[in-house]
């Protein structure tokens, strides 16, 4: 199957899952995760109409943004664990950060704001597992992180993000994320984005209310070895 065929096939499955959940597919943003693939793949995707791409490592993101260059309407999403000393580079490259999971990172991203540049959209990543080594704020710390981040004028809190745990079915985990989205909106009422759903579980994420899907291998094919 060609890239165009895989993209069309996934978009068809997204539309089916949306309809099954009584939702309009146009409410969903499909982000194509291009990590480990060359910048030329982003060019190809752009030619196929893709306008949202995701990367999980800062260096790879920064390099590809330069290689791909200016493309009207193209939005880069940063979805990986972020070190505070990379905040400036992340902010320079991405329009949306899905992986804000601690106050120090919020402070670093805010401190990296350049005058006159747009506000940075951020999602608060929640850890849905019991393993503190996975990225994300613990659910019971989400509201405090939201309160802290909402005070930083160069950041706009848009919603929550999570990766489904490996050791439980995705549906109950995404149901918890949905409840956490409700909790976030008690602090930031318009922060209604829910970034969830990957190749293996995007239908379950759509059923649970996801608004932003992060889909890699189903569209790009298998990832090359980490370079
Ligand atoms: C790689 C990655 C994805 C996409 O994974 P696939 O299983 O290839 O769809 C989504 N979210 C995050 C945070 C990732 O690192």
């Amino acid at each position: 199957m060609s890239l165009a065929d895989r993209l069309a096939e996934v978009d068809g499955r997204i539309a089916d899952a949306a309809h099954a959940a009584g939702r309009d597919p146009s409410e969903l943003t499909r982000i194509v995760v291009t990590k480990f693939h060359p910048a030329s793949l982003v060019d190809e995707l752009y030619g196929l109409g893709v306008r949202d791409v995701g990367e999980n490592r800062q260096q790879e993101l920064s390099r590809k943004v330069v290689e791909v260059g200016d493309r009207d309407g193209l939005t880069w999403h940063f979805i990986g664990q972020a070190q505070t000393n990379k905040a400036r580079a992340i902010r320079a490259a991405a329009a949306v950060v899905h992986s804000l999971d601690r106050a120090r990172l919020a402070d670093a991203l805010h401190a990296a704001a350049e005058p006159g540049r747009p506000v940075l959209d951020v999602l608060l990543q929640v850890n849905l597992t019991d393993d503190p080594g996975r990225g994300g704020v613990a659910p019971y710390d989400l509201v405090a992180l939201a309160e802290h981040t909402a005070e930083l004028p160069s950041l706009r809190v848009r919603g929550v993000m999570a990766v489904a745990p490996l050791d439980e079915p995705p549906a109950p985990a995404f149901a918890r994320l949905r409840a956490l989205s409700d909790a976030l909106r008690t602090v930031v009422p318009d922060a209604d984005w829910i970034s969830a759903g990957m190749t293996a579980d995007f239908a379950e994420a759509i059923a649970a209310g996801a608004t932003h899907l992060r889909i890699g291998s189903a569209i790009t094919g298998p990832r090359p070895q980490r370079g």
Side-chain angles (χ1 to χ4, degrees), residues 125-143:
Q125 183 178 356
V126 189
N127 184 354
L128 298 176
T129 76
D130 297 326
D131 174 0
R134 305 281 302 268
V137 64
Y140 47 82
D141 289 331
L142 173 66
V143 164

Side-chain angles (χ1 to χ4, degrees), residues 33 35 56 79-80 161 163 197-200 214-218 223:
V33 177
K35 65 188 184 197
N56 75 333
I79 63 173
M161 178 276 219
V163 176
M198 309 177 18
T199 288
R214 308 177 312 269
I215 304 179
S217 44
R223 279 187 276 277

Side-chain angles (χ1 to χ4, degrees), residues 103-142:
R104 277 191 54 230
L105 180 58
D107 293 342
L109 287 167
H110 175 59
E114 304 275 357
R117 299 283 301 153
V119 162
L120 181 69
D121 284 331
V122 296
L123 293 100
L124 307 185
Q125 183 178 356
V126 189
N127 184 354
L128 298 176
T129 76
D130 297 326
D131 174 0
R134 305 281 302 268
V137 64
Y140 47 82
D141 289 331
L142 173 66

Side-chain angles (χ1 to χ4, degrees), residues 47-136:
L48 296 170
V50 169
R51 293 295 179 267
D52 291 275
V53 292
E55 287 289 334
N56 75 333
R57 293 195 301 172
Q58 173 271 320
Q59 281 180 311
E60 187 176 346
L61 167 73
S62 298
R63 176 169 51 74
K64 283 185 197 170
V65 166
V66 171
E67 284 177 20
V68 171
D70 264 344
R71 285 279 192 286
D72 210 28
L74 181 63
T75 298
W76 292 89
H77 298 253
F78 184 72
I79 63 173
Q81 293 198 22
Q83 293 167 262
T84 50
N85 64 353
K86 300 293 167 57
R88 190 166 301 275
I90 292 168
R91 216 181 153 133
V96 188
V97 172
H98 290 234
S99 42
L100 202 166
D101 62 357
R102 56 203 192 277
R104 277 191 54 230
L105 180 58
D107 293 342
L109 287 167
H110 175 59
E114 304 275 357
R117 299 283 301 153
V119 162
L120 181 69
D121 284 331
V122 296
L123 293 100
L124 307 185
Q125 183 178 356
V126 189
N127 184 354
L128 298 176
T129 76
D130 297 326
D131 174 0
R134 305 281 302 268

